[in-house]
Amino acid sequence: MIDLSSPSHPPAGVVDSAVAAADTAARTAEVSVRQLDALPDLVAVQRLYEKIWRPDGKTPPVTTELLRALSKAGSYVGGAFDGDELVGACVGFFSPPAHEALHSHIAGVAARMRGRSVGYALKVHQRAWSLQRGVASVSWTFDPLVRRNAYFNLGKLAASPLEYLANFYGPMNDEINGSDDTDRLLVGWLLDAPEVTAACSGEPAPALRAADLPGAVVGLGVSPDGRPVRGSTDGPTVLVAVPEDIEALRAQDPGRAAEWRRALRETLDGLLAGGARITGFDRSGWYIVDTSPHGGDHERKVAK
């Protein structure tokens, strides 16, 4: 059972091992990661996010003033540095204190650093920082159509899918989301869970593969010309596809991107609403969904 609303306290040694894992992740990514509270660093976070989401100079996703307030209030503002240059940042704020939880609102990494596991180093640092402060769980959302993010969150970090949120933020009209609806998948991270501890130590569980699941049915597939094809959800395991690169598709063919949004919402949200559970993500582009009676037998609440 997954219950992210109940407080827990990590066993002795968990915090120390989390800090060690964060140090290792940063060294592997060849960056330094630290908590940010100085005004110049917070200005740099806003500028980095502007480059990622708002290159046209419009309102940034997070302002320096808000970052300053969050930092002063004791929330999480972490930054990854390549030498003296800020190349990645992650921002989170606390959920109700009784839940001992943090909501990780936004994270971004400079395009030139892709492939260096900077985002992973930031999240592992956020886990260590949270455990040091008695936080039991972290939640965040991501666009379920973005294949690399689905693999990163569910596979590499071992986060647990909790809820499908249709058009969660409303129109954003930025470089990444375009004019598409902002559907999100809410995930939770139980920080001292064995699978999370292993993932943050660089030893995630072997990824599930759609090809290794006999009897699985395709609930949403891909046509030869790249369009979504609705299938059957009548089976104990349902495979739900996402396109190879939804961000490129939004730029090249917004209509087809919107078609994928509608199809994924109808299929994945429908399955989760019916009590099914996402058990993994095949890196080749498939959500793996368990629809058996025990599949939905877990707590979907999360501190908000």
Side-chain angles (χ1 to χ4, degrees):
M1 175 174 286
I2 299 172
D3 184 355
L4 296 181
S5 67
S6 298
S8 64
H9 299 282
V14 168
V15 173
D16 290 342
S17 65
V19 171
D23 290 342
T24 298
R27 285 197 303 272
T28 300
E30 298 181 339
V31 294
S32 60
V33 183
R34 58 181 171 84
Q35 171 76 1
L36 306 180
D37 53 25
L39 185 58
D41 288 337
L42 301 178
V43 171
V45 173
Q46 176 181 320
R47 290 174 177 168
L48 174 65
Y49 285 168
E50 285 175 342
K51 290 178 182 177
I52 296 172
W53 278 277
R54 303 283 190 183
D56 56 6
K58 294 181 180 179
T59 305
V62 180
T63 64
T64 299
E65 294 84 357
L66 178 58
L67 292 168
R68 187 69 154 169
L70 290 172
S71 175
K72 181 63 176 175
S75 290
Y76 181 82
V77 183
F81 291 82
D82 183 20
D84 294 330
E85 181 187 356
L86 181 73
V87 295
C90 183
V91 178
F93 46 82
F94 287 104
S95 294
H99 294 159
E100 297 182 357
L102 185 80
H103 184 76
S104 187
H105 173 56
I106 186 169
V109 174
R112 74 174 185 83
M113 301 299 289
R114 285 186 181 174
R116 292 238 325 241
S117 296
V118 175
Y120 176 76
L122 278 167
K123 293 302 293 184
V124 178
H125 178 272
Q126 185 182 58
R127 173 177 178 261
W129 181 94
S130 299
L131 284 167
Q132 287 176 316
R133 288 156 180 81
V135 173
S137 67
V138 178
S139 63
W140 66 90
T141 65
F142 72 93
D143 185 343
L145 277 174
V146 180
R147 184 184 294 192
R148 68 176 184 277
N149 286 353
Y151 172 75
F152 175 73
N153 291 311
L154 307 188
K156 196 165 183 178
L157 293 178
S160 300
L162 299 169
E163 186 180 0
Y164 192 100
L165 304 168
N167 201 24
F168 185 56
Y169 293 110
M172 295 183 76
N173 297 311
D174 58 29
E175 185 74 5
I176 293 176
N177 295 283
S179 59
D180 196 9
D181 282 354
T182 53
D183 288 23
R184 295 294 183 263
L185 190 63
L186 177 70
V187 297
W189 222 21
L190 285 174
L191 300 185
D192 65 347
E195 64 274 16
V196 173
T197 299
C200 291
S201 299
E203 300 176 356
L208 292 174
R209 296 188 346 135
D212 297 334
L213 299 171
V217 299
V218 176
L220 184 66
V222 187
S223 71
D225 64 349
R227 294 185 180 278
V229 179
R230 292 170 175 80
S232 171
T233 57
D234 186 15
T237 302
V238 179
L239 305 178
V240 180
V242 294
E244 183 174 356
D245 188 345
I246 188 62
E247 291 164 320
L249 191 60
R250 286 186 188 122
Q252 298 163 6
D253 190 343
R256 186 172 301 188
E259 187 179 348
W260 268 105
R261 176 67 79 202
R262 291 189 297 270
L264 184 68
R265 180 189 297 170
E266 178 182 306
T267 306
L268 196 57
D269 190 18
L271 285 165
L272 296 181
R277 181 170 66 98
I278 298 172
T279 57
F281 185 82
D282 184 327
R283 199 169 190 175
S284 65
W286 300 92
Y287 285 100
I288 298 170
V289 184
D290 182 359
T291 65
S292 58
H294 64 79
D297 184 22
H298 74 296
E299 183 63 64
R300 293 178 182 275
K301 294 187 297 179
V302 63
K304 293 184 176 68

